[in-house]
Amino acid sequence: MPAETHFDVLVIGAGLSGIGAAWHLQHLCPDRSYAILESRAAMGGTWDLFRYPGIRSDSDMYTLGYRFRPWRDAKAIADGPAIKRYIEETAREHGIDQKIRYGHRVVRAEWSSAEALWKVEAEHDGARVRFTSGFLYTCTGYYDYGAGYTPEYSGRERYRGRFVHPQHWPEDLDYAGKRVVVIGSGATAVTLVPAMTTGAGAAAHVTMLQRSPTYVAEQPSKDAIADALRRVLPAGAAYAIARWKNVLRSMFYFFLARGAPAVFTRGVLKKARLALGPDFDVDKHFTPRYKPWDERLCIIPDGDLFTAIREKRASVVTDEIESLTETGIRLKSGGHLAADVIVSATGLTLKIVGGMALVVDGKPVEMPRTMTYMGFMYSGVPNLASAFGYTNASWTLKCDLIAEHVCRLLNHMKEHGYVQCTPVRDLSVSEEPVLNFTSGYVQRALPSLPTQGTRSPWRVHQNYLKDLLAFRHGRVDKPSLEFRRRS
């Protein structure tokens, strides 16, 4: 174990955003020392944690991938192991893997204005270890790695089959030839259902049990235009064009969904009807009660979910759970679903900054009382940035911009002799929820999250073009930031 415990920058988390942050630090702030503290035994974050069948991205890899490293695999909608390899290869190519300290779960970080330092405590091998840093950069994602969200099911203690949550998929789970019920209709559920119905170990039948439908849209797993570009252009140029093409495409569909929801909905449902056939009740099972993008759109590559349903390998039931029984699930409609395996694909538990306790000059930080600055800092919290991506586009698009802006901020501070930078809340700016999704996991978490403001720089824009201008080309020394030199 290296003896060094002080760094100019401490990055928390060695997932997709943490490795991206490290690359930016090395290239834009090469004179700054840094280390990455990772709670797990391997890098990859989400793509190391989740091991359920079919685990994949729900964004194309030309935008979920890093701007600085082309995605070269054939599939644009990639599986989890391929994404993990991409992260690992990026880290190895740039020596970032040598900067990671595994098995370090950060539990507390205390800022001292007198010393202009973060004092960080982490658990490692059953003991507390301490680090100091001039700047803290949290790349811990947005959910609790310890446990997903599982509702309280009446009668669960009676159920005799296997009951699992996808976040902690058992290695010994054998569902071959068995009846499976997947509870949920989000990204995890629509991935699991077709995956569990294919291959040598396929289930006998998989039922997706949903309380209400979700917007589900087909997308090719391969990007034909990107593939054509790679055949005629250098890899970097082909990747850049494909990335921009997909950025603009996703923005177009998002604005269509928000501006003309009836048109968007008709288009999505038309494709579902064509894929599922005239006898399938699309209105009941795939027509949501909410407006498009009030919750995240679910992508199914090559229409695999629809194919599984059409071929009778899977089915959809729209109903509510009365209770679990010894052999399955009793529905409120009076029906019963027999199940040898129940998968509760019921979502995540949101947790920001990895759940660590933050203290500023002896006073604990209450995150709900802070307001997010540009979506990456928090009012009243000095020298701390968080990587937080888009809800309506690929996560990495925003994280890349944040990493670049953090480096600009660090260089500005060094140039002017500043040791502290604190967002100071404008009391004339009204509060709003930081996320405007109606999804259950968001609504459950809102009381524990920071707020956002009604205008910039306190407003979180879910818009890549706006953020590109603000983060890459906008002022670093905005009036809402208070800079301080060493006293």
Side-chain angles (χ1 to χ4, degrees), residues 360-419:
V360 173
D361 292 330
K363 184 177 180 180
V365 175
E366 299 177 52
M367 293 305 288
R369 298 177 67 86
T370 69
M371 182 176 284
T372 184
Y373 169 83
M374 293 182 69
F376 82 105
M377 297 181 80
Y378 309 99
S379 61
V381 183
N383 291 31
L384 184 144
S386 290
F388 202 94
Y390 291 116
T391 59
N392 65 347
S394 291
W395 180 264
T396 317
L397 288 173
K398 180 71 173 282
C399 292
D400 265 355
L401 291 178
I402 289 172
E404 187 175 346
H405 194 80
V406 166
C407 291
R408 291 181 64 205
L409 180 61
L410 290 170
N411 289 336
H412 175 81
M413 292 174 68
K414 182 175 182 180
E415 179 183 351
H416 294 277
Y418 298 129
V419 294

Short mmCIF file of all heavy atoms in Angstrom, two decimals, residues 360-419:
data_model
loop_
_atom_site.label_atom_id
_atom_site.label_comp_id
_atom_site.label_asym_id
_atom_site.label_seq_id
_atom_site.Cartn_x
_atom_site.Cartn_y
_atom_site.Cartn_z
N VAL A 360 -18.47 20.85 6.90
CA VAL A 360 -17.75 22.06 6.49
C VAL A 360 -17.52 22.93 7.71
O VAL A 360 -18.48 23.40 8.35
CB VAL A 360 -18.52 22.85 5.41
CG1 VAL A 360 -17.84 24.18 5.12
CG2 VAL A 360 -18.64 22.03 4.13
N ASP A 361 -16.26 23.08 8.07
CA ASP A 361 -15.86 23.89 9.23
C ASP A 361 -16.66 23.52 10.47
O ASP A 361 -17.20 24.37 11.19
CB ASP A 361 -16.02 25.38 8.91
CG ASP A 361 -15.03 25.84 7.86
OD1 ASP A 361 -13.92 25.27 7.80
OD2 ASP A 361 -15.36 26.76 7.08
N GLY A 362 -16.75 22.23 10.72
CA GLY A 362 -17.39 21.73 11.93
C GLY A 362 -18.89 21.57 11.85
O GLY A 362 -19.50 21.02 12.78
N LYS A 363 -19.51 22.01 10.77
CA LYS A 363 -20.96 21.95 10.65
C LYS A 363 -21.36 20.90 9.62
O LYS A 363 -20.96 20.99 8.46
CB LYS A 363 -21.53 23.31 10.25
CG LYS A 363 -23.05 23.35 10.20
CD LYS A 363 -23.54 24.75 9.85
CE LYS A 363 -25.07 24.78 9.79
NZ LYS A 363 -25.59 26.14 9.44
N PRO A 364 -22.15 19.90 10.01
CA PRO A 364 -22.59 18.88 9.05
C PRO A 364 -23.38 19.50 7.90
O PRO A 364 -24.19 20.41 8.09
CB PRO A 364 -23.47 17.95 9.88
CG PRO A 364 -23.03 18.17 11.29
CD PRO A 364 -22.63 19.61 11.38
N VAL A 365 -23.13 19.01 6.70
CA VAL A 365 -23.84 19.48 5.52
C VAL A 365 -25.15 18.70 5.39
O VAL A 365 -25.14 17.46 5.37
CB VAL A 365 -23.00 19.28 4.24
CG1 VAL A 365 -23.82 19.66 3.00
CG2 VAL A 365 -21.73 20.11 4.31
N GLU A 366 -26.24 19.41 5.35
CA GLU A 366 -27.54 18.80 5.09
C GLU A 366 -27.85 19.00 3.61
O GLU A 366 -28.21 20.09 3.18
CB GLU A 366 -28.62 19.44 5.96
CG GLU A 366 -28.38 19.30 7.46
CD GLU A 366 -29.45 20.02 8.28
OE1 GLU A 366 -30.65 19.79 8.03
OE2 GLU A 366 -29.07 20.84 9.13
N MET A 367 -27.71 17.94 2.84
CA MET A 367 -27.83 18.06 1.40
C MET A 367 -29.17 18.65 0.94
O MET A 367 -29.20 19.44 -0.01
CB MET A 367 -27.58 16.71 0.73
CG MET A 367 -26.15 16.20 0.87
SD MET A 367 -24.88 17.37 0.29
CE MET A 367 -25.12 17.27 -1.48
N PRO A 368 -30.30 18.32 1.57
CA PRO A 368 -31.56 18.92 1.11
C PRO A 368 -31.62 20.44 1.30
O PRO A 368 -32.46 21.10 0.69
CB PRO A 368 -32.62 18.23 1.99
CG PRO A 368 -31.97 16.98 2.48
CD PRO A 368 -30.52 17.32 2.62
N ARG A 369 -30.73 20.99 2.12
CA ARG A 369 -30.70 22.44 2.34
C ARG A 369 -29.73 23.15 1.41
O ARG A 369 -29.56 24.36 1.47
CB ARG A 369 -30.34 22.74 3.79
CG ARG A 369 -31.35 22.18 4.79
CD ARG A 369 -30.91 22.43 6.22
NE ARG A 369 -30.94 23.85 6.54
CZ ARG A 369 -32.03 24.49 6.98
NH1 ARG A 369 -33.17 23.84 7.13
NH2 ARG A 369 -31.97 25.78 7.27
N THR A 370 -29.06 22.35 0.54
CA THR A 370 -28.16 22.95 -0.43
C THR A 370 -28.88 23.07 -1.77
O THR A 370 -29.89 22.42 -2.02
CB THR A 370 -26.89 22.12 -0.62
OG1 THR A 370 -27.21 20.88 -1.27
CG2 THR A 370 -26.21 21.83 0.71
N MET A 371 -28.32 23.92 -2.63
CA MET A 371 -28.82 24.06 -4.00
C MET A 371 -27.68 23.73 -4.95
O MET A 371 -26.54 24.16 -4.73
CB MET A 371 -29.34 25.48 -4.25
CG MET A 371 -29.92 25.70 -5.65
SD MET A 371 -30.63 27.36 -5.86
CE MET A 371 -32.19 27.18 -4.97
N THR A 372 -27.96 22.97 -5.96
CA THR A 372 -26.90 22.55 -6.86
C THR A 372 -26.51 23.69 -7.80
O THR A 372 -27.36 24.39 -8.35
CB THR A 372 -27.31 21.30 -7.66
OG1 THR A 372 -26.21 20.87 -8.46
CG2 THR A 372 -28.51 21.56 -8.54
N TYR A 373 -25.20 23.86 -7.94
CA TYR A 373 -24.64 24.89 -8.82
C TYR A 373 -24.21 24.23 -10.12
O TYR A 373 -23.34 23.34 -10.12
CB TYR A 373 -23.44 25.56 -8.12
CG TYR A 373 -22.63 26.46 -9.01
CD1 TYR A 373 -23.02 27.77 -9.25
CD2 TYR A 373 -21.47 25.99 -9.62
CE1 TYR A 373 -22.27 28.59 -10.07
CE2 TYR A 373 -20.71 26.80 -10.45
CZ TYR A 373 -21.12 28.10 -10.67
OH TYR A 373 -20.38 28.91 -11.50
N MET A 374 -24.86 24.60 -11.23
CA MET A 374 -24.57 24.05 -12.55
C MET A 374 -24.68 22.53 -12.58
O MET A 374 -24.13 21.86 -13.46
CB MET A 374 -23.20 24.49 -13.05
CG MET A 374 -23.10 25.98 -13.35
SD MET A 374 -21.48 26.49 -14.00
CE MET A 374 -21.48 25.71 -15.62
N GLY A 375 -25.34 21.97 -11.59
CA GLY A 375 -25.53 20.52 -11.56
C GLY A 375 -24.31 19.74 -11.15
O GLY A 375 -24.31 18.51 -11.25
N PHE A 376 -23.25 20.43 -10.63
CA PHE A 376 -22.05 19.66 -10.25
C PHE A 376 -21.41 20.12 -8.95
O PHE A 376 -20.51 19.45 -8.45
CB PHE A 376 -21.01 19.68 -11.38
CG PHE A 376 -20.14 20.89 -11.44
CD1 PHE A 376 -18.82 20.84 -11.01
CD2 PHE A 376 -20.63 22.10 -11.92
CE1 PHE A 376 -18.00 21.96 -11.07
CE2 PHE A 376 -19.82 23.22 -11.99
CZ PHE A 376 -18.49 23.15 -11.57
N MET A 377 -21.84 21.25 -8.38
CA MET A 377 -21.37 21.67 -7.06
C MET A 377 -22.58 21.98 -6.19
O MET A 377 -23.72 21.98 -6.68
CB MET A 377 -20.44 22.89 -7.17
CG MET A 377 -19.15 22.64 -7.94
SD MET A 377 -18.06 24.10 -8.03
CE MET A 377 -17.29 24.03 -6.41
N TYR A 378 -22.33 22.27 -4.90
CA TYR A 378 -23.42 22.49 -3.96
C TYR A 378 -23.17 23.76 -3.17
O TYR A 378 -22.04 24.03 -2.74
CB TYR A 378 -23.55 21.30 -3.00
CG TYR A 378 -23.61 19.97 -3.71
CD1 TYR A 378 -22.48 19.18 -3.82
CD2 TYR A 378 -24.80 19.54 -4.29
CE1 TYR A 378 -22.53 17.96 -4.49
CE2 TYR A 378 -24.86 18.33 -4.96
CZ TYR A 378 -23.72 17.55 -5.06
OH TYR A 378 -23.76 16.36 -5.74
N SER A 379 -24.23 24.54 -2.99
CA SER A 379 -24.09 25.81 -2.28
C SER A 379 -23.54 25.58 -0.87
O SER A 379 -23.97 24.67 -0.16
CB SER A 379 -25.45 26.52 -2.20
OG SER A 379 -26.40 25.74 -1.49
N GLY A 380 -22.57 26.41 -0.51
CA GLY A 380 -21.99 26.35 0.82
C GLY A 380 -20.97 25.25 1.04
O GLY A 380 -20.44 25.10 2.13
N VAL A 381 -20.69 24.46 0.00
CA VAL A 381 -19.73 23.36 0.13
C VAL A 381 -18.52 23.67 -0.75
O VAL A 381 -18.60 23.62 -1.97
CB VAL A 381 -20.35 22.02 -0.28
CG1 VAL A 381 -19.35 20.88 -0.06
CG2 VAL A 381 -21.64 21.75 0.49
N PRO A 382 -17.37 23.99 -0.14
CA PRO A 382 -16.19 24.40 -0.92
C PRO A 382 -15.48 23.22 -1.58
O PRO A 382 -15.50 22.09 -1.08
CB PRO A 382 -15.27 25.04 0.13
CG PRO A 382 -16.09 25.15 1.38
CD PRO A 382 -17.13 24.10 1.30
N ASN A 383 -14.85 23.50 -2.71
CA ASN A 383 -13.88 22.59 -3.33
C ASN A 383 -14.40 21.16 -3.46
O ASN A 383 -13.66 20.19 -3.23
CB ASN A 383 -12.57 22.60 -2.54
CG ASN A 383 -11.83 23.91 -2.69
OD1 ASN A 383 -12.44 24.97 -2.85
ND2 ASN A 383 -10.51 23.86 -2.61
N LEU A 384 -15.65 21.03 -3.83
CA LEU A 384 -16.23 19.72 -4.05
C LEU A 384 -17.07 19.73 -5.32
O LEU A 384 -17.90 20.62 -5.51
CB LEU A 384 -17.08 19.27 -2.86
CG LEU A 384 -17.66 17.84 -2.96
CD1 LEU A 384 -17.69 17.18 -1.59
CD2 LEU A 384 -19.07 17.84 -3.55
N ALA A 385 -16.84 18.76 -6.18
CA ALA A 385 -17.61 18.60 -7.41
C ALA A 385 -18.15 17.18 -7.47
O ALA A 385 -17.55 16.25 -6.91
CB ALA A 385 -16.75 18.88 -8.64
N SER A 386 -19.27 17.02 -8.14
CA SER A 386 -19.86 15.70 -8.33
C SER A 386 -20.14 15.47 -9.81
O SER A 386 -20.62 16.37 -10.50
CB SER A 386 -21.18 15.57 -7.55
OG SER A 386 -20.96 15.54 -6.16
N ALA A 387 -19.85 14.26 -10.26
CA ALA A 387 -20.21 13.87 -11.62
C ALA A 387 -21.65 13.37 -11.61
O ALA A 387 -21.96 12.40 -10.92
CB ALA A 387 -19.27 12.77 -12.11
N PHE A 388 -22.50 14.05 -12.34
CA PHE A 388 -23.91 13.65 -12.41
C PHE A 388 -24.38 13.87 -13.83
O PHE A 388 -24.33 14.99 -14.35
CB PHE A 388 -24.76 14.46 -11.43
CG PHE A 388 -26.03 13.78 -11.05
CD1 PHE A 388 -26.11 13.00 -9.92
CD2 PHE A 388 -27.16 13.91 -11.85
CE1 PHE A 388 -27.29 12.35 -9.58
CE2 PHE A 388 -28.34 13.26 -11.52
CZ PHE A 388 -28.41 12.48 -10.38
N GLY A 389 -24.82 12.80 -14.48
CA GLY A 389 -25.15 12.86 -15.90
C GLY A 389 -26.58 13.25 -16.19
O GLY A 389 -27.31 13.71 -15.31
N TYR A 390 -26.97 13.05 -17.43
CA TYR A 390 -28.30 13.43 -17.88
C TYR A 390 -29.33 12.36 -17.54
O TYR A 390 -29.01 11.17 -17.45
CB TYR A 390 -28.30 13.66 -19.40
CG TYR A 390 -27.54 14.87 -19.83
CD1 TYR A 390 -26.40 14.74 -20.63
CD2 TYR A 390 -27.94 16.15 -19.45
CE1 TYR A 390 -25.68 15.86 -21.03
CE2 TYR A 390 -27.23 17.27 -19.85
CZ TYR A 390 -26.10 17.12 -20.64
OH TYR A 390 -25.40 18.23 -21.03
N THR A 391 -30.57 12.80 -17.41
CA THR A 391 -31.68 11.86 -17.27
C THR A 391 -32.34 11.60 -18.61
O THR A 391 -33.07 10.62 -18.76
CB THR A 391 -32.74 12.41 -16.30
OG1 THR A 391 -33.22 13.68 -16.78
CG2 THR A 391 -32.16 12.59 -14.90
N ASN A 392 -32.09 12.46 -19.59
CA ASN A 392 -32.75 12.32 -20.90
C ASN A 392 -31.78 12.01 -22.03
O ASN A 392 -32.13 12.09 -23.19
CB ASN A 392 -33.54 13.59 -21.24
CG ASN A 392 -32.64 14.79 -21.43
OD1 ASN A 392 -31.45 14.75 -21.07
ND2 ASN A 392 -33.17 15.85 -22.00
N ALA A 393 -30.54 11.68 -21.66
CA ALA A 393 -29.51 11.37 -22.66
C ALA A 393 -28.43 10.55 -21.96
O ALA A 393 -28.56 10.20 -20.78
CB ALA A 393 -28.93 12.66 -23.26
N SER A 394 -27.36 10.26 -22.67
CA SER A 394 -26.31 9.43 -22.09
C SER A 394 -25.63 10.12 -20.91
O SER A 394 -25.31 11.31 -20.96
CB SER A 394 -25.26 9.10 -23.16
OG SER A 394 -25.80 8.23 -24.13
N TRP A 395 -25.39 9.34 -19.88
CA TRP A 395 -24.79 9.82 -18.64
C TRP A 395 -23.44 10.51 -18.90
O TRP A 395 -23.15 11.58 -18.37
CB TRP A 395 -24.59 8.61 -17.71
CG TRP A 395 -23.98 8.89 -16.39
CD1 TRP A 395 -22.66 8.75 -16.05
CD2 TRP A 395 -24.66 9.32 -15.21
NE1 TRP A 395 -22.48 9.07 -14.73
CE2 TRP A 395 -23.68 9.43 -14.19
CE3 TRP A 395 -25.97 9.63 -14.91
CZ2 TRP A 395 -24.00 9.83 -12.89
CZ3 TRP A 395 -26.29 10.02 -13.61
CH2 TRP A 395 -25.31 10.12 -12.63
N THR A 396 -22.63 9.91 -19.75
CA THR A 396 -21.26 10.39 -19.92
C THR A 396 -21.18 11.73 -20.63
O THR A 396 -20.19 12.45 -20.46
CB THR A 396 -20.44 9.34 -20.70
OG1 THR A 396 -20.75 8.05 -20.19
CG2 THR A 396 -18.95 9.57 -20.54
N LEU A 397 -22.17 12.08 -21.43
CA LEU A 397 -22.14 13.38 -22.10
C LEU A 397 -21.95 14.51 -21.10
O LEU A 397 -21.12 15.40 -21.28
CB LEU A 397 -23.42 13.59 -22.91
CG LEU A 397 -23.61 12.77 -24.17
CD1 LEU A 397 -25.00 12.99 -24.74
CD2 LEU A 397 -22.55 13.12 -25.21
N LYS A 398 -22.75 14.48 -20.04
CA LYS A 398 -22.65 15.53 -19.02
C LYS A 398 -21.39 15.36 -18.17
O LYS A 398 -20.71 16.34 -17.85
CB LYS A 398 -23.89 15.49 -18.13
CG LYS A 398 -23.95 16.55 -17.01
CD LYS A 398 -24.18 17.95 -17.55
CE LYS A 398 -24.40 18.96 -16.44
NZ LYS A 398 -25.77 18.90 -15.88
N CYS A 399 -21.07 14.10 -17.84
CA CYS A 399 -19.90 13.87 -16.98
C CYS A 399 -18.61 14.33 -17.66
O CYS A 399 -17.70 14.84 -16.99
CB CYS A 399 -19.82 12.40 -16.58
SG CYS A 399 -21.15 11.90 -15.48
N ASP A 400 -18.50 14.13 -18.96
CA ASP A 400 -17.33 14.62 -19.69
C ASP A 400 -17.22 16.14 -19.60
O ASP A 400 -16.13 16.70 -19.40
CB ASP A 400 -17.42 14.21 -21.17
CG ASP A 400 -16.67 12.91 -21.47
OD1 ASP A 400 -16.00 12.39 -20.56
OD2 ASP A 400 -16.77 12.42 -22.60
N LEU A 401 -18.35 16.83 -19.75
CA LEU A 401 -18.35 18.30 -19.66
C LEU A 401 -17.99 18.76 -18.25
O LEU A 401 -17.24 19.72 -18.08
CB LEU A 401 -19.72 18.85 -20.06
CG LEU A 401 -20.11 18.71 -21.53
CD1 LEU A 401 -21.52 19.25 -21.74
CD2 LEU A 401 -19.12 19.42 -22.43
N ILE A 402 -18.53 18.08 -17.25
CA ILE A 402 -18.21 18.44 -15.87
C ILE A 402 -16.73 18.25 -15.60
O ILE A 402 -16.08 19.12 -14.99
CB ILE A 402 -19.06 17.60 -14.88
CG1 ILE A 402 -20.53 18.04 -14.94
CG2 ILE A 402 -18.52 17.72 -13.46
CD1 ILE A 402 -21.47 17.15 -14.15
N ALA A 403 -16.16 17.12 -16.04
CA ALA A 403 -14.73 16.87 -15.82
C ALA A 403 -13.88 17.96 -16.45
O ALA A 403 -12.90 18.43 -15.85
CB ALA A 403 -14.36 15.50 -16.37
N GLU A 404 -14.24 18.36 -17.66
CA GLU A 404 -13.50 19.41 -18.34
C GLU A 404 -13.61 20.73 -17.57
O GLU A 404 -12.62 21.47 -17.41
CB GLU A 404 -14.04 19.56 -19.76
CG GLU A 404 -13.26 20.50 -20.65
CD GLU A 404 -13.80 20.52 -22.07
OE1 GLU A 404 -14.59 19.63 -22.44
OE2 GLU A 404 -13.40 21.42 -22.81
N HIS A 405 -14.81 21.03 -17.08
CA HIS A 405 -15.02 22.29 -16.37
C HIS A 405 -14.31 22.29 -15.01
O HIS A 405 -13.78 23.32 -14.59
CB HIS A 405 -16.51 22.54 -16.18
CG HIS A 405 -16.84 23.94 -15.77
ND1 HIS A 405 -16.89 24.98 -16.67
CD2 HIS A 405 -17.12 24.48 -14.56
CE1 HIS A 405 -17.20 26.10 -16.03
NE2 HIS A 405 -17.34 25.81 -14.75
N VAL A 406 -14.31 21.15 -14.34
CA VAL A 406 -13.58 21.04 -13.07
C VAL A 406 -12.10 21.36 -13.29
O VAL A 406 -11.47 22.09 -12.51
CB VAL A 406 -13.75 19.64 -12.45
CG1 VAL A 406 -12.74 19.42 -11.32
CG2 VAL A 406 -15.16 19.47 -11.91
N CYS A 407 -11.54 20.85 -14.37
CA CYS A 407 -10.13 21.13 -14.67
C CYS A 407 -9.92 22.61 -14.98
O CYS A 407 -8.92 23.21 -14.57
CB CYS A 407 -9.66 20.26 -15.83
SG CYS A 407 -9.55 18.50 -15.41
N ARG A 408 -10.84 23.22 -15.71
CA ARG A 408 -10.75 24.66 -15.96
C ARG A 408 -10.80 25.43 -14.64
O ARG A 408 -10.05 26.41 -14.45
CB ARG A 408 -11.91 25.12 -16.86
CG ARG A 408 -11.85 24.62 -18.29
CD ARG A 408 -13.03 25.17 -19.09
NE ARG A 408 -12.96 26.63 -19.17
CZ ARG A 408 -14.01 27.42 -19.35
NH1 ARG A 408 -15.24 26.90 -19.43
NH2 ARG A 408 -13.86 28.73 -19.43
N LEU A 409 -11.66 25.00 -13.74
CA LEU A 409 -11.79 25.65 -12.44
C LEU A 409 -10.50 25.51 -11.62
O LEU A 409 -10.01 26.48 -11.03
CB LEU A 409 -12.97 25.05 -11.69
CG LEU A 409 -13.28 25.59 -10.29
CD1 LEU A 409 -13.61 27.08 -10.33
CD2 LEU A 409 -14.43 24.82 -9.67
N LEU A 410 -9.94 24.30 -11.61
CA LEU A 410 -8.69 24.08 -10.87
C LEU A 410 -7.55 24.92 -11.44
O LEU A 410 -6.75 25.50 -10.68
CB LEU A 410 -8.32 22.60 -10.92
CG LEU A 410 -9.20 21.63 -10.13
CD1 LEU A 410 -8.87 20.19 -10.47
CD2 LEU A 410 -9.06 21.88 -8.63
N ASN A 411 -7.48 25.02 -12.75
CA ASN A 411 -6.42 25.83 -13.36
C ASN A 411 -6.62 27.33 -13.10
O ASN A 411 -5.66 28.07 -12.90
CB ASN A 411 -6.37 25.55 -14.86
CG ASN A 411 -5.81 24.18 -15.17
OD1 ASN A 411 -5.07 23.60 -14.37
ND2 ASN A 411 -6.17 23.63 -16.32
N HIS A 412 -7.88 27.76 -13.09
CA HIS A 412 -8.18 29.16 -12.77
C HIS A 412 -7.76 29.47 -11.33
O HIS A 412 -7.17 30.53 -11.06
CB HIS A 412 -9.68 29.42 -12.95
CG HIS A 412 -10.11 30.79 -12.54
ND1 HIS A 412 -9.95 31.91 -13.34
CD2 HIS A 412 -10.68 31.24 -11.38
CE1 HIS A 412 -10.42 32.97 -12.71
NE2 HIS A 412 -10.87 32.60 -11.53
N MET A 413 -8.06 28.56 -10.42
CA MET A 413 -7.68 28.78 -9.01
C MET A 413 -6.18 28.85 -8.85
O MET A 413 -5.65 29.73 -8.13
CB MET A 413 -8.27 27.66 -8.15
CG MET A 413 -9.80 27.70 -8.05
SD MET A 413 -10.50 26.28 -7.17
CE MET A 413 -9.91 26.57 -5.50
N LYS A 414 -5.46 27.96 -9.52
CA LYS A 414 -4.01 27.98 -9.40
C LYS A 414 -3.42 29.26 -9.99
O LYS A 414 -2.53 29.89 -9.40
CB LYS A 414 -3.41 26.76 -10.11
CG LYS A 414 -1.90 26.69 -9.97
CD LYS A 414 -1.33 25.42 -10.57
CE LYS A 414 0.18 25.38 -10.35
NZ LYS A 414 0.79 24.16 -10.91
N GLU A 415 -3.94 29.67 -11.14
CA GLU A 415 -3.43 30.86 -11.81
C GLU A 415 -3.57 32.11 -10.94
O GLU A 415 -2.70 32.99 -10.95
CB GLU A 415 -4.18 31.05 -13.13
CG GLU A 415 -3.74 32.29 -13.92
CD GLU A 415 -4.57 32.49 -15.18
OE1 GLU A 415 -5.36 31.59 -15.53
OE2 GLU A 415 -4.41 33.55 -15.81
N HIS A 416 -4.66 32.17 -10.18
CA HIS A 416 -4.93 33.37 -9.38
C HIS A 416 -4.61 33.20 -7.90
O HIS A 416 -4.90 34.09 -7.10
CB HIS A 416 -6.40 33.78 -9.55
CG HIS A 416 -6.74 34.22 -10.95
ND1 HIS A 416 -6.51 35.50 -11.40
CD2 HIS A 416 -7.26 33.53 -11.99
CE1 HIS A 416 -6.90 35.59 -12.67
NE2 HIS A 416 -7.35 34.41 -13.05
N GLY A 417 -4.04 32.06 -7.53
CA GLY A 417 -3.63 31.86 -6.14
C GLY A 417 -4.77 31.54 -5.20
O GLY A 417 -4.64 31.73 -3.99
N TYR A 418 -5.88 31.05 -5.73
CA TYR A 418 -7.03 30.72 -4.87
C TYR A 418 -6.87 29.31 -4.32
O TYR A 418 -6.41 28.39 -5.02
CB TYR A 418 -8.34 30.80 -5.65
CG TYR A 418 -8.67 32.16 -6.19
CD1 TYR A 418 -9.00 32.32 -7.54
CD2 TYR A 418 -8.66 33.29 -5.38
CE1 TYR A 418 -9.32 33.57 -8.06
CE2 TYR A 418 -8.97 34.54 -5.90
CZ TYR A 418 -9.30 34.67 -7.24
OH TYR A 418 -9.62 35.90 -7.74
N VAL A 419 -7.30 29.14 -3.08
CA VAL A 419 -7.27 27.80 -2.48
C VAL A 419 -8.67 27.30 -2.14
O VAL A 419 -8.84 26.14 -1.76
CB VAL A 419 -6.42 27.80 -1.18
CG1 VAL A 419 -4.96 28.07 -1.50
CG2 VAL A 419 -6.95 28.79 -0.16
#
